[in-house]
């Protein structure tokens, strides 16, 4: 490991608080009043310190949850519940402790990745072995914490155990596995809410033996702050006092869902500004679990092949944290799927004396931060080292004499007991669904290579097939058949090859939990939508500089066959136009006042968050500050149907997918100079 002496800045500039809007007070001016009030209910400006039970599989000695409203204003008082003493520092002046934080983010339920030919990759079981080894070999003055920075759901077949209603619920696979793995704390990410807060609460209540944190999520009808999650926590570990704060992106979280309309997410910097001084005052070190993204404003990193809108990202959070507290602070990041500090500290990830790190996504790395702290010395005398431990992928086809062999998963790399006793039963519950053949693919146009190459630059055979399938299935919708359907390019996560098509293979294409919302639109509105979509196309001159495997997060859409048009590129994004538009064979100019029905997946209908179909400027590298069309303002019928389920039902009925069934390019979109 490479080590770095991290020093707080001796002077703090306040000319520019990143992104504004946050009331800031320095830690030097903050001295919380610690009071005792039996059966206290926190009032404005207060946090209530409540003893809680740590995960029995973890190593926290004492755990306290900090309850109260971190959004109403600065926290000035900490109230002890039932007269319990507020934790006092336990280390002598200058006494040194080591906090080792093992962390992951954006697991997206990739507990174990299943592959028939390569073999299963035991991602979480490999982490469990690393954590157990670290704890077994820890020095006497060392504490090893294991945490998640959020987005633990949505992205693998394990999601299906959640079901779509409380009645269908079987298990929350991630939270059940994390509990057994010894995870101590997890932040709430945006994808935790994909299936609704009611199911998230069900999963939390059933399977989580660790607390959930978010200081800026609020007002859900199901997930109640201070009951189901808290803004922050304080943990005593081997004589060290660790404060933990959770933050959730306010850009990409699915708010405004019909069954939980009051769910909201405030700006992370607002919550942090109010909360951090109080937490740091009673802590030796603060760990911020930030599911807000690497960077600030618009930033290109991780899963984004072009710049995407992240708002209050970790740069803004680090800036404010460094000004508000002199204690050692680390930001364990997530959301942008960014690989940081792989082999040691990158100086770019030290902001105002605050360390930022992140461990990519999907369980590909276990992050490792070792922090040596001298009690009561703040950031004047602390050291840390950072790296990422690669989680090895399985490929049993590779011979032992192959140069790749040492980097691949082998027996002994994972905790076999964990895999057998925790993951095994979950897989058994999924067996029938995983292996089920839903159809046969005879078309050679839907493979991964073709899909990834085409989804951002023009017409997509897979996008064509999916949208046409939804239009065909709409004959069974409660509101009747729709005229058109659309789906976003970033939602096409894989392709399907010729041969038997399993449920899992199609799940890999569409891992996100999108519902179908049917909008009523005029021909004029469709013209405006198509013109706005044309701006989002990845232009030919941009292709060479973009990794097409990443997310080009500008919200480009694919449409069903009833919508046909050309994109005239022009000289730049501001001059691009959708031309020669026809709707069900009629020129658009003849039907501008006619109304149509359009099936839209919920991610897009809710404004596409960071991909901007919400009136804000189009991001993802589109130059010119061009406003997006606000799809949220359309008149919707919320069907309650799931986009992926309807496509699967169509495939089941079809049985065999051929080019004649729409699995082809048919010229519905043409791109010309």
């Amino acid at each position: 490991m490479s080590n770095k002496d991290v020093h707080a800045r001796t002077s703090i500039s306040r000319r520019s608080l990143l992104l504004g809007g946050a009331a800031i007070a320095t830690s030097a001016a903050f001295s919380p009043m610690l009071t005792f009030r039996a059966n206290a209910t926190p009032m404005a400006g207060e946090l209530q310190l409540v003893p809680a039970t740590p995960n029995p599989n973890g190593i926290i000695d004492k755990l306290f949850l900090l309850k109260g409203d971190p959004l109403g204003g600065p926290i000035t008082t900490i109230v002890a519940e039932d007269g319990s003493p507020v934790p006092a520092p336990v280390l002598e002046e200058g006494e040194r402790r080591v906090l080792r934080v093992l962390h992951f983010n954006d697991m997206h339920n990739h507990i174990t990745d299943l592959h028939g030919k390569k073999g299963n990759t035991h991602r979480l079981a490999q982490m469990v072995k690393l954590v157990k080894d670290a704890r077994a070999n820890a020095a006497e003055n060392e504490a090893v914490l294991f945490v998640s920075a959020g987005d633990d759901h949505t992205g693998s077949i394990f999601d299906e155990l959640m079901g779509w209603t409380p009645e269908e619920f079987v298990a929350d696979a991630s939270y059940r596995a994390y509990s057994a793995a010894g995870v101590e704390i997890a932040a709430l990410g945006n994808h935790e809410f994909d299936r609704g807060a009611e199911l998230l609460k069900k999963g939390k209540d059933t399977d989580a033996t660790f607390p959930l944190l978010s200081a800026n999520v609020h007002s859900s009808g199901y997930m109640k702050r201070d009951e189901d999650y808290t803004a922050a926590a304080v943990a005593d570990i081997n004589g060290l006092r660790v404060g933990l704060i959770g933050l959730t992106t306010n850009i990409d979280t699915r708010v405004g869902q019909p069954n939980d309309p009051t769910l909201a997410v405030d700006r992370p910097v607002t919550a942090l500004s109010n909360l951090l001084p109080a937490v740091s005052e009673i802590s030796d070190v603060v760990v911020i679990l930030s599911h807000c993204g690497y960077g600030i404003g618009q930033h290109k990193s991780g899963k984004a092949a072009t710049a995407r809108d992240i708002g209050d990202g970790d740069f803004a959070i680090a800036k404010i944290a460094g000004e508000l507290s002199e204690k050692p602070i680390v930001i364990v990041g997530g959301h942008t799927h960014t690989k940081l500090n792989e082999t040691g500290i990158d100086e770019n990830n030290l902001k105002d004396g605050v360390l930022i790190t992140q461990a990519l996504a999907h369980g590909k790395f276990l992050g490792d931060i070792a922090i040596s702290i001298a009690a009561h010395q703040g950031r004047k005398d602390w050291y840390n080292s950072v790296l990422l431990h690669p989680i090895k992928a399985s490929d049993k086809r590779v011979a032992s004499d192959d140069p790749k062999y040492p980097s691949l998963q082998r027996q002994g790399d994972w905790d076999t007991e964990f895999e057998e006793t925790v993951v095994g039963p979950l897989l058994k519950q999924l067996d029938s669904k995983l292996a089920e053949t839903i159809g046969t693919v005879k078309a050679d146009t839907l493979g991964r290579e073709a899909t990834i190459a085409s989804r951002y630059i023009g017409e997509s055979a897979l996008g064509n097939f999916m949208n046409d399938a939804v239009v065909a299935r709409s004959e069974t919708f409660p509101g009747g058949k729709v005229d058109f359907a659309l789906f976003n390019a970033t939602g096409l996560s894989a392709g399907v090859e010729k041969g038997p098509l399993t449920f899992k293979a199609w799940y890999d294409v569409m891992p996100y939990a999108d519902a179908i919302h049917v909008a009523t639109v005029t021909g004029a509105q469709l013209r405006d939508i198509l013109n706005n979509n044309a701006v989002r196309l990845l232009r030919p001159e941009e292709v060479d500089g973009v990794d097409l495997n990443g997310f080009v997060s500008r919200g480009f859409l694919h449409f069903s066959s009833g919508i046909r048009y050309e994109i005239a590129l022009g000289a730049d994004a501001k001059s691009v136009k959708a031309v020669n538009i026809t709707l069900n064979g009629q020129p658009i100019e003849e039907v501008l006042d006619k109304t149509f029905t359009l099936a839209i997946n919920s991610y897009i209908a809710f404004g596409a968050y960071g991909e901007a179909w919400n009136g804000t400027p189009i991001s993802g590298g589109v130059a010119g500050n061009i406003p997006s069309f606000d799809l949220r303002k359309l008149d919707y019928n919320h069907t309650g149907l799931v986009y992926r389920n309807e496509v699967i039902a169509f495939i089941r009925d079809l049985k065999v997918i051929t080019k004649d069934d729409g699995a082809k390019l048919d010229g519905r979109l043409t791109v010309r100079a």
Side-chain angles (χ1 to χ4, degrees):
M1 300 182 185
S2 62
N3 291 288
K4 180 68 181 180
D5 188 357
V6 184
H7 296 281
R9 294 189 175 182
T10 56
S11 63
I12 298 172
S13 170
R14 297 184 177 278
R15 288 180 298 171
S16 173
L17 292 177
L18 296 178
L19 298 181
I24 305 295
T26 66
S27 62
F30 176 79
S31 181
M33 181 179 179
L34 308 182
T35 66
F36 307 98
R37 195 164 66 242
N39 301 314
T41 298
M43 298 184 296
E46 290 185 346
L47 289 179
Q48 184 185 64
L49 193 86
V50 180
T53 302
N55 184 350
N57 295 308
I59 49 85
I60 291 177
D61 299 316
K62 293 181 181 180
L63 178 66
F64 302 87
L65 302 180
L66 290 168
K67 298 184 177 183
D69 180 10
L71 298 170
I75 301 298
T76 59
T77 306
I78 297 176
V79 181
E81 183 193 47
D82 299 332
S84 302
V86 173
V90 294
L91 297 182
E92 296 294 331
E93 183 83 18
E95 187 177 357
R96 189 169 291 279
R97 284 288 189 276
V98 174
L99 174 65
R100 191 171 175 191
V101 183
L102 299 178
H103 62 92
F104 58 89
N105 57 275
D106 299 276
M107 181 74 86
H108 288 289
N109 249 332
H110 284 264
I111 298 166
T112 289
D113 284 347
L114 309 175
H115 199 286
K117 294 180 180 179
K118 294 182 179 181
N120 297 344
T121 297
H122 308 301
R123 296 199 179 278
L124 187 56
Q126 287 187 54
M127 292 186 186
V128 168
K129 185 177 188 304
L130 291 170
V131 172
K132 285 184 175 180
D133 289 347
R135 287 176 171 170
N137 297 317
E140 186 176 344
N141 70 338
E142 182 180 3
V144 181
L145 192 65
F146 189 27
V147 298
S148 165
D151 267 11
D152 299 307
H153 302 85
T154 303
S156 89
I157 192 65
F158 285 104
D159 295 323
E160 293 309 300
L161 291 176
M162 288 282 281
W164 296 97
T165 66
E167 293 73 29
E168 294 178 2
F169 178 87
V170 175
D172 188 319
S174 59
Y175 286 172
R176 180 176 296 182
Y178 294 179
S179 296
V183 170
E184 308 280 7
I185 302 275
L188 288 174
N190 55 296
H191 281 293
E192 264 64 84
F193 296 93
D194 281 358
R195 295 183 182 231
E198 185 177 14
L199 273 171
L200 177 60
K201 176 176 172 57
K202 180 81 171 177
K204 187 273 303 182
D205 288 347
T206 304
D207 290 308
T209 59
F210 52 86
L212 303 175
L213 300 183
S214 178
N216 59 319
V217 169
H218 64 95
S219 302
S220 169
Y222 298 100
M223 287 287 289
K224 303 292 188 181
R225 184 174 59 206
D226 298 340
E227 295 178 18
D228 300 306
Y229 66 97
T230 57
V234 174
D236 281 352
I237 313 171
N238 196 19
L240 190 68
R241 176 70 37 72
V242 182
L244 299 114
I245 297 172
L247 298 172
T248 307
T249 173
N250 65 323
I251 300 294
D252 289 318
T253 305
R254 291 186 175 186
V255 297
Q257 298 187 66
N259 69 338
D260 196 16
T262 57
L263 171 68
V265 187
D266 213 321
R267 292 184 61 190
V269 295
T270 301
L272 186 70
S273 300
N274 293 336
L275 185 63
L276 179 61
V279 175
S280 65
E281 189 73 14
I282 58 171
S283 304
D284 295 312
V285 57
V286 178
V287 177
I288 299 173
L289 300 177
S290 168
H291 196 84
C292 300
Y294 182 72
I296 186 173
Q298 288 194 0
H299 201 272
K300 177 182 176 180
S301 76
K303 65 182 177 182
T306 54
R308 62 179 299 203
D309 187 9
I310 62 170
D312 293 342
D314 290 340
F315 290 3
I317 291 165
K319 173 73 173 177
I320 289 172
E323 293 181 342
L324 284 173
S325 174
E326 295 178 355
K327 296 288 178 69
I329 300 173
V330 297
I331 296 173
V332 176
H335 184 50
T336 47
H337 298 199
T338 313
K339 183 170 61 176
L340 300 179
N341 310 310
E342 183 175 5
T343 58
I345 294 177
D346 181 337
E347 295 290 341
N348 294 319
N349 301 325
L350 284 169
K351 303 293 182 183
D352 297 304
V354 175
L355 171 68
I356 301 170
T357 193
Q358 196 177 144
L360 195 61
H362 297 174
K364 293 183 178 180
F365 290 92
L366 177 67
D368 190 342
I369 312 166
I371 311 165
S372 179
I373 302 159
H376 316 298
Q377 297 300 307
R379 289 200 292 273
K380 291 184 294 184
D381 187 17
W382 75 305
Y383 306 84
N384 63 57
S385 64
V386 188
L387 55 76
L388 302 179
H389 299 282
I391 300 302
K392 298 178 180 179
S394 174
D395 194 341
K396 59 187 180 183
R397 303 170 303 176
V398 176
S400 59
D401 59 351
D402 191 299
K404 295 180 182 178
Y405 184 77
S407 67
L408 297 173
Q409 175 188 272
R410 289 179 282 174
Q411 190 70 37
D413 288 331
W414 69 92
D415 188 299
T416 55
E417 181 183 6
F418 178 84
E419 189 70 24
E420 291 170 1
T421 62
V422 179
V423 181
L426 293 170
L427 287 172
K428 188 172 182 180
Q429 291 174 299
L430 280 170
D431 276 346
S432 58
K433 186 171 284 290
L434 284 169
E436 181 185 3
T437 299
I438 61 173
T440 301
V441 180
K442 288 192 173 179
D444 59 1
T445 52
L446 306 180
R448 183 185 188 282
E449 185 175 346
T451 299
I452 299 302
S454 66
R455 57 182 175 165
Y456 299 124
I457 66 173
E459 188 181 0
S460 163
L462 186 61
N464 288 354
F465 175 78
M466 288 167 48
N467 284 314
D468 290 352
V470 168
V471 172
R473 280 287 300 172
S474 68
E475 293 183 356
T476 68
F477 289 6
K481 187 174 174 62
V482 300
D483 294 301
F484 314 116
L486 64 77
F487 198 81
N488 55 301
T490 50
L492 304 178
S493 296
V496 292
E497 310 299 334
K498 293 176 68 174
L501 178 62
T502 64
F503 179 94
K504 181 184 181 302
W506 194 262
Y507 188 99
D508 289 342
V509 172
M510 305 176 69
Y512 300 105
D514 282 288
I516 295 175
H517 295 181
V518 176
T520 299
V521 294
T522 64
Q525 287 174 316
L526 278 171
R527 176 198 58 196
D528 294 344
I529 290 169
L530 291 172
N531 271 308
N532 208 245
N533 194 53
V535 174
R536 302 162 187 268
L537 185 81
L538 192 65
R539 298 173 63 86
E541 63 268 25
E542 296 178 283
V543 172
D544 288 344
V546 170
D547 177 11
L548 293 178
N549 287 291
F551 285 179
V552 179
S553 300
R554 54 177 62 167
F556 185 68
L557 305 176
H558 297 281
F559 295 87
S560 57
S561 62
I563 297 177
R564 304 181 74 86
Y565 68 113
E566 298 177 7
I567 293 178
L569 289 171
D572 52 30
K574 281 194 170 183
S575 58
V576 69
K577 295 289 184 184
V579 298
N580 296 327
I581 305 168
T582 61
L583 303 180
N584 288 332
Q586 291 183 280
I588 189 101
E589 294 78 12
E590 298 177 7
V591 292
L592 293 177
D593 295 327
K594 185 178 179 179
T595 58
F596 301 89
T597 50
L598 175 65
I600 303 179
N601 57 311
S602 53
Y603 172 73
I604 297 297
F606 289 146
Y609 312 103
E611 296 192 50
W613 279 95
N614 54 19
T616 59
I618 300 169
S619 60
V622 175
N625 202 37
I626 301 170
S628 65
F629 186 98
D630 193 347
L631 285 170
R632 300 172 303 172
K633 294 182 178 179
L634 298 178
D635 181 18
Y636 284 104
N637 170 32
H638 304 288
T639 69
L641 302 172
V642 177
Y643 207 107
R644 179 176 60 231
N645 291 1
E646 295 306 311
V647 177
I648 287 174
F650 178 79
I651 294 170
R652 290 184 195 276
D653 291 341
L654 189 63
K655 294 183 174 58
V656 179
I657 301 174
T658 68
K659 291 181 181 179
D660 292 339
D661 303 307
K664 62 181 179 182
L665 303 175
D666 62 10
R668 68 187 65 180
L669 168 59
T670 302
V671 180
R672 60 180 177 81

